[in-house]
Amino acid sequence: MSDYPLLTANTITLRQFDYFVNSVQLGSLSAAARRFGITPSAMSQQIDALESSLGRKLFDPRSRRSRLTKFGREFFAQASDVVDSARQAMAMGQTFGDGVMTVGTTPTIAQKLLPPLIYRMRHERNIDSIEVRSFTDLRELYATLDEGALDLAVGPLEQSTSKVVHCFGEEELVVVCHHSHRNSFDGSWKQLVEAPWIRCGSNSDLTDAVSREAGRAGVHIRFTVRAPDVTTALSLVEHGVGIALVPKMALHGSSRHVSIIRLPRPIRRELTVHARDKSQHVEKFLEAITDSDLVRKFGAAGLLETRRTEPTVVRREPVPAQPLSN
């Protein structure tokens, strides 16, 4: 440990670190200033103060702060780590709880699949405190897991930096309409394209699936209404607003005013559990989700087609950092 105190008369602030790192990452002080909602001159003053405290120039004076000095490149690598660590610490402060298992998932899985799992976790796996966080945007779910703010993520997940990945089954995606319109569709995409479509969320993988299937049929889907989640989309379908693609499990216990339009080719996707590490909480969750009795109940209820596979532990080698070039 260094004998020199961190705080001196010319104290460097975390804000200055953040300003400097963002200036480099965004390519200019002006862009960083816009991100933080301050003027370019205020940003420049903070960088001046940082350089004064360091006693070194971070930017080449001849480049109008568009190119780093040799010291600036080395300092940027260290400052980036400081900013990242601070963000992770803040995230931990918002989510940390003694003995709390935090699960991130989609709204449909949170409502239909997790309740029996949580019951088992609490009464048979001795976990008293469980927090469920719902995400309509899978990219946000990925990012939150990678930041360490979740113990595990459950859903139609494909790519992440997780060390533990376990596929526990498949779910079917179905097109639904108001029951009074069920005889108006033969299931062909050339006919479905004529109907008003309800879009689930702004960055939903369901929208991608609709566009992908329609593209294979050579047609283009017209979305007329945007719903924030599957539950709202189903409510709109119940009122005859349009049709939507939803997970079949979302229909479990739903209104009789909703009918499924049979497609010529079923749409299915894998459901997986992703975790950064195989902690005790993760192991107990995997034990619960692969319990044979619960597996049979999921299948009987039509929630999903289950699989019996072993969890996969993915070993990833650290990637060496690349130096910042001029």
Short mmCIF file of all heavy atoms in Angstrom, two decimals, residues 17-50:
data_model
loop_
_atom_site.label_atom_id
_atom_site.label_comp_id
_atom_site.label_asym_id
_atom_site.label_seq_id
_atom_site.Cartn_x
_atom_site.Cartn_y
_atom_site.Cartn_z
N PHE A 17 -12.45 12.35 -13.41
CA PHE A 17 -12.13 11.07 -14.07
C PHE A 17 -13.19 10.75 -15.12
O PHE A 17 -12.88 10.37 -16.25
CB PHE A 17 -12.08 9.95 -13.03
CG PHE A 17 -10.75 9.77 -12.36
CD1 PHE A 17 -10.25 10.71 -11.49
CD2 PHE A 17 -9.98 8.65 -12.62
CE1 PHE A 17 -9.02 10.55 -10.87
CE2 PHE A 17 -8.75 8.46 -12.01
CZ PHE A 17 -8.26 9.42 -11.12
N ASP A 18 -14.45 10.89 -14.73
CA ASP A 18 -15.57 10.56 -15.62
C ASP A 18 -15.58 11.46 -16.85
O ASP A 18 -15.79 11.00 -17.98
CB ASP A 18 -16.88 10.69 -14.85
CG ASP A 18 -17.95 9.71 -15.35
OD1 ASP A 18 -17.64 8.91 -16.25
OD2 ASP A 18 -19.07 9.74 -14.81
N TYR A 19 -15.34 12.75 -16.64
CA TYR A 19 -15.30 13.70 -17.75
C TYR A 19 -14.17 13.33 -18.73
O TYR A 19 -14.36 13.31 -19.95
CB TYR A 19 -15.05 15.12 -17.24
CG TYR A 19 -16.26 15.79 -16.61
CD1 TYR A 19 -16.15 17.05 -16.01
CD2 TYR A 19 -17.52 15.19 -16.62
CE1 TYR A 19 -17.24 17.67 -15.43
CE2 TYR A 19 -18.61 15.80 -16.05
CZ TYR A 19 -18.47 17.05 -15.45
OH TYR A 19 -19.55 17.66 -14.89
N PHE A 20 -12.99 13.05 -18.18
CA PHE A 20 -11.85 12.72 -19.02
C PHE A 20 -12.09 11.43 -19.81
O PHE A 20 -11.87 11.39 -21.03
CB PHE A 20 -10.58 12.60 -18.17
CG PHE A 20 -9.41 12.02 -18.91
CD1 PHE A 20 -8.82 12.70 -19.96
CD2 PHE A 20 -8.90 10.77 -18.56
CE1 PHE A 20 -7.74 12.15 -20.64
CE2 PHE A 20 -7.82 10.23 -19.23
CZ PHE A 20 -7.24 10.91 -20.28
N VAL A 21 -12.54 10.39 -19.14
CA VAL A 21 -12.76 9.10 -19.80
C VAL A 21 -13.80 9.23 -20.91
O VAL A 21 -13.63 8.72 -22.02
CB VAL A 21 -13.20 8.03 -18.78
CG1 VAL A 21 -13.71 6.76 -19.48
CG2 VAL A 21 -12.03 7.68 -17.86
N ASN A 22 -14.90 9.95 -20.65
CA ASN A 22 -15.93 10.12 -21.67
C ASN A 22 -15.46 10.98 -22.83
O ASN A 22 -15.86 10.75 -23.97
CB ASN A 22 -17.19 10.72 -21.04
CG ASN A 22 -18.09 9.68 -20.41
OD1 ASN A 22 -18.95 9.12 -21.06
ND2 ASN A 22 -17.84 9.40 -19.13
N SER A 23 -14.59 11.97 -22.55
CA SER A 23 -14.04 12.80 -23.61
C SER A 23 -13.24 11.95 -24.59
O SER A 23 -13.34 12.12 -25.81
CB SER A 23 -13.14 13.89 -23.03
OG SER A 23 -13.88 14.78 -22.23
N VAL A 24 -12.47 11.01 -24.06
CA VAL A 24 -11.66 10.13 -24.92
C VAL A 24 -12.56 9.14 -25.66
O VAL A 24 -12.42 8.93 -26.87
CB VAL A 24 -10.60 9.38 -24.09
CG1 VAL A 24 -9.83 8.39 -24.97
CG2 VAL A 24 -9.65 10.37 -23.43
N GLN A 25 -13.51 8.55 -24.95
CA GLN A 25 -14.37 7.53 -25.56
C GLN A 25 -15.28 8.12 -26.64
O GLN A 25 -15.52 7.46 -27.66
CB GLN A 25 -15.21 6.85 -24.49
CG GLN A 25 -14.41 5.98 -23.54
CD GLN A 25 -15.26 5.40 -22.41
OE1 GLN A 25 -16.32 5.93 -22.08
NE2 GLN A 25 -14.78 4.32 -21.80
N LEU A 26 -15.76 9.34 -26.43
CA LEU A 26 -16.66 9.97 -27.39
C LEU A 26 -15.92 10.75 -28.48
O LEU A 26 -16.53 11.17 -29.46
CB LEU A 26 -17.64 10.90 -26.68
CG LEU A 26 -18.60 10.22 -25.70
CD1 LEU A 26 -19.46 11.25 -24.99
CD2 LEU A 26 -19.47 9.21 -26.43
N GLY A 27 -14.62 10.95 -28.29
CA GLY A 27 -13.82 11.58 -29.34
C GLY A 27 -13.65 13.08 -29.24
O GLY A 27 -12.87 13.66 -29.99
N SER A 28 -14.35 13.73 -28.32
CA SER A 28 -14.19 15.18 -28.18
C SER A 28 -14.76 15.65 -26.85
O SER A 28 -15.65 14.99 -26.27
CB SER A 28 -14.90 15.94 -29.32
OG SER A 28 -16.30 15.85 -29.19
N LEU A 29 -14.27 16.82 -26.38
CA LEU A 29 -14.80 17.40 -25.15
C LEU A 29 -16.24 17.86 -25.34
O LEU A 29 -17.06 17.79 -24.43
CB LEU A 29 -13.93 18.58 -24.70
CG LEU A 29 -12.82 18.26 -23.69
CD1 LEU A 29 -11.77 17.37 -24.32
CD2 LEU A 29 -12.17 19.56 -23.19
N SER A 30 -16.55 18.34 -26.56
CA SER A 30 -17.91 18.83 -26.83
C SER A 30 -18.94 17.72 -26.71
O SER A 30 -20.01 17.91 -26.13
CB SER A 30 -17.97 19.45 -28.23
OG SER A 30 -17.12 20.57 -28.33
N ALA A 31 -18.60 16.54 -27.25
CA ALA A 31 -19.53 15.40 -27.17
C ALA A 31 -19.73 14.97 -25.73
O ALA A 31 -20.85 14.66 -25.31
CB ALA A 31 -19.01 14.24 -28.02
N ALA A 32 -18.64 14.96 -24.95
CA ALA A 32 -18.74 14.59 -23.55
C ALA A 32 -19.55 15.62 -22.77
O ALA A 32 -20.34 15.27 -21.89
CB ALA A 32 -17.35 14.44 -22.94
N ALA A 33 -19.37 16.88 -23.11
CA ALA A 33 -20.13 17.94 -22.44
C ALA A 33 -21.62 17.78 -22.67
O ALA A 33 -22.44 17.96 -21.76
CB ALA A 33 -19.66 19.31 -22.93
N ARG A 34 -22.00 17.41 -23.91
CA ARG A 34 -23.42 17.18 -24.21
C ARG A 34 -23.96 16.02 -23.39
O ARG A 34 -25.10 16.06 -22.93
CB ARG A 34 -23.60 16.93 -25.70
CG ARG A 34 -23.44 18.16 -26.58
CD ARG A 34 -23.96 17.92 -27.98
NE ARG A 34 -23.19 16.89 -28.69
CZ ARG A 34 -22.09 17.13 -29.39
NH1 ARG A 34 -21.65 18.37 -29.52
NH2 ARG A 34 -21.46 16.15 -30.01
N ARG A 35 -23.18 14.96 -23.24
CA ARG A 35 -23.64 13.80 -22.46
C ARG A 35 -23.94 14.19 -21.02
O ARG A 35 -24.91 13.71 -20.42
CB ARG A 35 -22.60 12.68 -22.51
CG ARG A 35 -22.87 11.55 -21.52
CD ARG A 35 -21.92 10.39 -21.69
NE ARG A 35 -22.27 9.59 -22.87
CZ ARG A 35 -21.67 8.45 -23.19
NH1 ARG A 35 -20.67 7.99 -22.44
NH2 ARG A 35 -22.04 7.77 -24.25
N PHE A 36 -23.08 15.06 -20.43
CA PHE A 36 -23.25 15.43 -19.03
C PHE A 36 -24.12 16.67 -18.84
O PHE A 36 -24.38 17.08 -17.71
CB PHE A 36 -21.88 15.65 -18.38
CG PHE A 36 -21.10 14.39 -18.15
CD1 PHE A 36 -20.12 13.99 -19.03
CD2 PHE A 36 -21.37 13.59 -17.05
CE1 PHE A 36 -19.39 12.82 -18.82
CE2 PHE A 36 -20.65 12.41 -16.84
CZ PHE A 36 -19.67 12.03 -17.72
N GLY A 37 -24.54 17.29 -19.95
CA GLY A 37 -25.42 18.45 -19.85
C GLY A 37 -24.72 19.70 -19.35
O GLY A 37 -25.34 20.51 -18.64
N ILE A 38 -23.43 19.87 -19.68
CA ILE A 38 -22.69 21.07 -19.29
C ILE A 38 -22.11 21.72 -20.55
O ILE A 38 -22.16 21.14 -21.64
CB ILE A 38 -21.55 20.73 -18.29
CG1 ILE A 38 -20.52 19.81 -18.95
CG2 ILE A 38 -22.11 20.09 -17.04
CD1 ILE A 38 -19.29 19.54 -18.09
N THR A 39 -21.56 22.91 -20.38
CA THR A 39 -20.97 23.60 -21.53
C THR A 39 -19.57 23.07 -21.82
O THR A 39 -18.89 22.57 -20.91
CB THR A 39 -20.88 25.11 -21.25
OG1 THR A 39 -19.97 25.33 -20.15
CG2 THR A 39 -22.25 25.69 -20.91
N PRO A 40 -19.10 23.19 -23.07
CA PRO A 40 -17.74 22.76 -23.39
C PRO A 40 -16.68 23.48 -22.58
O PRO A 40 -15.66 22.89 -22.21
CB PRO A 40 -17.61 23.09 -24.89
CG PRO A 40 -19.02 23.03 -25.40
CD PRO A 40 -19.86 23.56 -24.29
N SER A 41 -16.93 24.75 -22.24
CA SER A 41 -15.93 25.49 -21.46
C SER A 41 -15.84 24.94 -20.04
O SER A 41 -14.76 24.84 -19.47
CB SER A 41 -16.27 26.98 -21.42
OG SER A 41 -17.47 27.23 -20.72
N ALA A 42 -16.99 24.55 -19.45
CA ALA A 42 -16.97 23.94 -18.12
C ALA A 42 -16.24 22.61 -18.14
O ALA A 42 -15.48 22.28 -17.22
CB ALA A 42 -18.39 23.77 -17.61
N MET A 43 -16.46 21.85 -19.20
CA MET A 43 -15.75 20.58 -19.36
C MET A 43 -14.24 20.82 -19.47
O MET A 43 -13.43 20.14 -18.85
CB MET A 43 -16.27 19.85 -20.60
CG MET A 43 -15.53 18.56 -20.95
SD MET A 43 -15.81 17.21 -19.78
CE MET A 43 -17.53 16.83 -20.11
N SER A 44 -13.87 21.82 -20.27
CA SER A 44 -12.45 22.14 -20.47
C SER A 44 -11.80 22.57 -19.16
O SER A 44 -10.65 22.21 -18.87
CB SER A 44 -12.32 23.24 -21.51
OG SER A 44 -10.97 23.55 -21.76
N GLN A 45 -12.54 23.33 -18.33
CA GLN A 45 -12.00 23.78 -17.04
C GLN A 45 -11.72 22.59 -16.12
O GLN A 45 -10.72 22.57 -15.41
CB GLN A 45 -12.99 24.74 -16.38
CG GLN A 45 -13.08 26.10 -17.07
CD GLN A 45 -14.17 26.97 -16.48
OE1 GLN A 45 -14.80 26.60 -15.48
NE2 GLN A 45 -14.41 28.12 -17.10
N GLN A 46 -12.60 21.58 -16.14
CA GLN A 46 -12.40 20.40 -15.31
C GLN A 46 -11.18 19.59 -15.79
O GLN A 46 -10.43 19.05 -14.97
CB GLN A 46 -13.65 19.52 -15.34
CG GLN A 46 -14.84 20.11 -14.61
CD GLN A 46 -14.58 20.25 -13.11
OE1 GLN A 46 -14.01 19.38 -12.48
NE2 GLN A 46 -15.00 21.38 -12.55
N ILE A 47 -10.99 19.50 -17.10
CA ILE A 47 -9.82 18.80 -17.63
C ILE A 47 -8.55 19.57 -17.27
O ILE A 47 -7.52 18.97 -16.92
CB ILE A 47 -9.92 18.62 -19.15
CG1 ILE A 47 -11.17 17.79 -19.51
CG2 ILE A 47 -8.68 17.97 -19.72
CD1 ILE A 47 -11.16 16.39 -18.94
N ASP A 48 -8.62 20.93 -17.34
CA ASP A 48 -7.48 21.76 -16.93
C ASP A 48 -7.12 21.49 -15.48
O ASP A 48 -5.93 21.34 -15.13
CB ASP A 48 -7.81 23.24 -17.10
CG ASP A 48 -7.80 23.67 -18.56
OD1 ASP A 48 -7.20 22.96 -19.38
OD2 ASP A 48 -8.41 24.72 -18.87
N ALA A 49 -8.15 21.41 -14.61
CA ALA A 49 -7.91 21.17 -13.19
C ALA A 49 -7.31 19.79 -12.97
O ALA A 49 -6.43 19.61 -12.11
CB ALA A 49 -9.23 21.31 -12.42
N LEU A 50 -7.76 18.81 -13.75
CA LEU A 50 -7.22 17.45 -13.63
C LEU A 50 -5.75 17.44 -14.03
O LEU A 50 -4.91 16.84 -13.33
CB LEU A 50 -8.03 16.50 -14.52
CG LEU A 50 -7.58 15.05 -14.56
CD1 LEU A 50 -7.60 14.43 -13.16
CD2 LEU A 50 -8.46 14.24 -15.51
#
